[in-house]
Amino acid sequence: MTATDVQATGVPRTRPATPSRPKRRREGAAWVFLSPWVLGATVLTLLPMAVSLYLSFTDYDLFNPPHWVGLRNYTQMFTEDPRYWRSVVATLTYVVIAVPLQLALALVVALVLKSVRRAKGFYRSAFYAPSLLGASMSIALVWRAIFNDGGTVDHLLGTGGWVTRPGWALLAVALLTVWQFGAPMVIFLAGLQQIPGELYEAAEVDGASRWRQFLSITVPMLSPVIFFNLVLQTIQSFQVFTPAFAVSAGKGGPADSTLFYTLYLYDRGFVASHMGYASAMAWVLLLVIGAVTAVLFRTSRSWVFYASDTDGGAR
Amino acid sequence: MPGNRTRVSCSVAVVLALCSALSGCGGTDDGGSGGKVVLRYTWWGNPDRAARTEKAIALFEKRHPGIRVQTSFSGYDAYKQKLATQAAGGDAPDVMQLDYRMIDQYASGGVLLDLGTQKAALGTGEIDAGLLATGRVNGKQYAIPQGRGTETMVYDVKEWKSSGVALPREGWTWSQWADAMRQLAKRTGKPGGTDPGQSEDAFEVWLRGRGKSLYTKDRKLGFTADDLTRWWTFTDKLRREGAVSPAEQTTQLDGSVENTPLGRGKAVSDVNWDAPASGFLALVPDGVALAPMPSGEDGTPGQYFKPSMFMGVSAHTSHPKEAAELIDFMINDPGAGTILGAARGIPVNESLRDKLAPALKDFDRTISDYQSSLEGDLKAPPQAPPSGDNALQTTFQRDYDQVSYERMSPREAAKNYITEAKAELRS
C-alpha cells in the first residue's frame, strides 16, 4: 500500500515516513507461507478452469490441437443431442428422489439417536459407517451385485434385477445414496442438541403432543441446519458420478436410465474423445448448480428461522 | 532487520523443503530395477491370456537381462477408456495392445511411433503382406498385427446336441440361424443365443452378407437407416419370441465372456471372436464348439479374417529399440509362440504358424482348425475403420438398448444411430 493510497481513503497520515516497510516484509512472509496453497489453487483449480472454459469453445479431441468453434458445442447440446436431455432428466429425477429421502431419513435417525442413552457411540458410528464406506467404488459394486439379475434382491423379493431394468435402475442408485445419510445425520444431531430443553418442557406443560412439538419447536429451531444440509446435498447430488458409474458399468444404462449428467460428460470426454463438448457440459452444470443454489437461498428467507432474528441479535 | 530477513529465508526454506518432499513422492520408478530398462506393456484380455502372457514375458526377460517389463491388463471396455486417457496425457505405455479401431485415431493423433524406424530390432518378413498392411496409416507402419481372428458362433456342445436341433454347418444362412435359435429356445427352455442386435460386429457380418459394408472407401457410412432398421427389426422379433436373450441379459454385455448369457448359463450360444472364446471353457462345464457365422440368404459370407489385435509403441517412449524387441519377441519367437498359442488369435508369423499348428493343443487347436475350415471361403477384410468408429461401437449398443427395452421402434433407433454416426465421423 502506497502513501497516496492511504491518503485517498481519507485516513490521516500519523505514522513515520516509512511506515510500510516492516509491514510489507511481514506480508511477504505471509505470502511465502501461503504459497503452497496459492500455488495449488492456481495450478490445480483456476488454471484448469480457465483452460476448460477455453476448450468449451473448441472441438478438442485429446489428440489434435483444439480448433475454435465458437458456441457450436453449446448449440449442439441444447438443440441436437437427445441424449443430453435424457441425462438432464435422469439427473433431475435423481435429485428430486434422493435428496428429500436422504434428508428425511437422516433427520429421523438423528431424532432416534438423540434419545438413545446406552451405547450411544456404537449406534452413532454404526449409522455413520455407510457414509464412510459409501465413498468407495467397492460398495457401489456390491450394490450392483445385490440388485443385479439373479442377485440378493432378486432372490428375496422376486422382483428381477433392479439395475437391469430401466424403470428401477435409477431407484437402486438413489437408494445407495440415501443409505449413505451419515454426514447430514451427524449435522442434524449436533443441531438437535442445540435446541434448549426448556422449550420442550414448556410445550409439555401446555399439553402439546409430540408431533406438535416436532412441528412447532424442532423444525423451526432446526431450520438453519436443514437448509445447510439441503444446499449441500443438492449440490452433491447434481454431481453424482461414482455410484452410477459403478452400478451401470460406466454406461449409464440400461437404456440411458441412469445416464446422469456427469456420466454423460465423462462419456463425451473420455470415451468419444470430445473434450470440448465435455468442457461445455461442465460449464453448463456449474451455472445450473449456481442458479439452483441461488434459488434455494432466495426461498430460505421464508422458511429458515434464525434465533437472532427475534432476539435482536442479543446472542 | 536481521530478524526479519531470517524469518523470510526460513519460510522460503520451509516452502522449498515442502516442494521437494512433494516431488519426491512422484519419483522415478527406476529405483527398484537395478539400472535396467523398464518397459510398460498393457493389454486387454482374460485370465487365461494373462497367465500365458506372464509366462512369455518371463522368457523375454531371461533372454534380455537388461530389460524389465511391467505388465498390466483389464477388460476391453475399461482398457479402451484408460488408454485414451493415458494417450491424451502423453503418458501412453511404452508397448500397448491396440484394436483395429484405435489405430487410425492414435496414429493420426501422434500417439504411436513409426515402427519403420525400428526395422533392425523388429522383423516383419514372415507376416502376410495384406495382414501387415492393416497396421499402416498413410504409408507408415504404426502397429503390428499380433494374431488373426474371425467371428464365430460359439455354443454349449452338450446342450445343443441333447436338444436334437440340427448342428450349425458352414454356409448356413441368417434365417436358418434364426430357426435354430427358436427351436433351441423351445427345447431347452432358455434362449438359443445372445441377442446379436447390440453388436456392431455381428451387424457388420450380416451387412457384408448382403453385399454392403460398415464404411465406404472414403470413410463414410456404408449403409442406410433402412439397412439398420431391417437388422434391428429382425433381432427384436427374435427377442420378443424369447429365441435370443432378453434385454436384462444383453445390457450387461461389456466385452467379457463372463458377462455373456452363455457364460452365465442363460443361453445356449453366443456370437463372439474366436480367440476370447477360450474363456468359455472355464464357464461352460461341458465345453464349447465353434461354428461359422451365418451367411447372407444367397450364400454370401459376411465374416472375414481380421487382425485380432495389434501391438504398438508410444511415440514418447524413451526406449524405442527395447520396445521393438519386445514386439519382435512376442510375434516371431518360437518360444513365445509355443507359450502364447492362440491366446491372441492364430500367430501372424507364417512359418511359426505352420510349425505350431500341429503342436497346438486343446482349444488353440479348435481355433486353428476352425480358421483352416474357413480359409479360401471368406472375402477380403475391409480397410481399418475411421477414427470416430471407436465411440460408435458403444453408441450402437446403447441405441439398441432403446429397442430391446421397447422404448423406441427399430426405425427410430436406427435414425438416431445414423445421425450420431454422421456427427462422429465428420470430426
Side-chain angles (χ1 to χ4, degrees), chain A residues 99-123:
Chain A
V99 174
L101 272 181
Q102 190 192 36
L103 291 187
L105 191 63
L107 183 55
V108 169
V109 175
L111 284 168
V112 173
L113 286 187
K114 191 195 159 204
S115 48
V116 168
R117 295 270 173 269
R118 300 177 62 189
K120 235 192 219 169
F122 168 76
Y123 286 112

Side-chain angles (χ1 to χ4, degrees), chain A residues 1-3 15-26:
Chain A
M1 202 178 278
T2 63
R15 290 184 197 165
T18 56
S20 58
R21 285 194 66 200
K23 199 177 158 216
R24 194 185 292 161
R25 191 151 291 153
R26 219 172 303 150

Side-chain angles (χ1 to χ4, degrees), chain A residues 178-202:
Chain A
V178 172
W179 179 58
Q180 295 160 17
F181 58 80
M185 180 204 73
V186 166
I187 298 170
F188 276 139
L189 207 50
L192 285 174
Q193 276 156 351
Q194 294 300 311
I195 303 176
E198 307 95 71
L199 291 178
Y200 293 104
E201 283 162 24

Side-chain angles (χ1 to χ4, degrees), chain A residues 21-22 25-26 29 32-33 35-36 39 60-64 76 82-83 86 144 148-150 161 163-167 245 249-257 259 264 266-268 270-274, chain B residues 1 4-5 7-8 11-12 14-15 18 77 80-81 84-85 87-88 105-106 108-109 111 247-249 251-254 259 264 266 390-391 394-395 397-399 401-402 405 407-408 416 420 423-424 427:
Chain A
R21 285 194 66 200
R25 191 151 291 153
R26 219 172 303 150
V32 171
F33 275 107
S35 62
L39 211 73
Y60 185 46
D61 72 347
L62 289 171
F63 300 108
N64 299 298
Q76 192 186 339
R83 192 164 273 158
R86 283 208 282 279
R144 181 181 171 193
N148 207 341
D149 185 47
V163 297
T164 56
R165 295 199 200 173
F245 185 83
K251 287 183 182 136
D256 288 351
S257 60
L259 186 69
Y264 187 50
Y266 173 85
D267 174 78
R268 290 295 88 195
F270 293 99
V271 181
S273 306
H274 294 308
Chain B
M1 281 306 203
N4 276 335
R5 188 171 301 153
R7 199 156 54 201
V8 172
S11 45
V12 169
V14 168
V15 170
L18 272 176
D77 278 1
K80 198 167 72 171
Q81 291 175 15
T85 318
Q105 186 175 34
Y106 283 7
S108 52
V111 177
E248 290 78 23
Q249 291 290 324
T251 195
Q252 295 183 49
L253 295 171
D254 59 358
N259 284 331
R264 291 161 171 256
K266 302 211 171 188
N390 209 356
T394 319
T395 308
Q397 187 176 3
R398 274 181 162 170
D399 281 339
D401 255 9
Q402 303 288 348
Y405 281 106
R407 299 193 153 196
M408 277 185 198
N416 259 357
E420 289 169 52
E424 287 294 338
S427 59

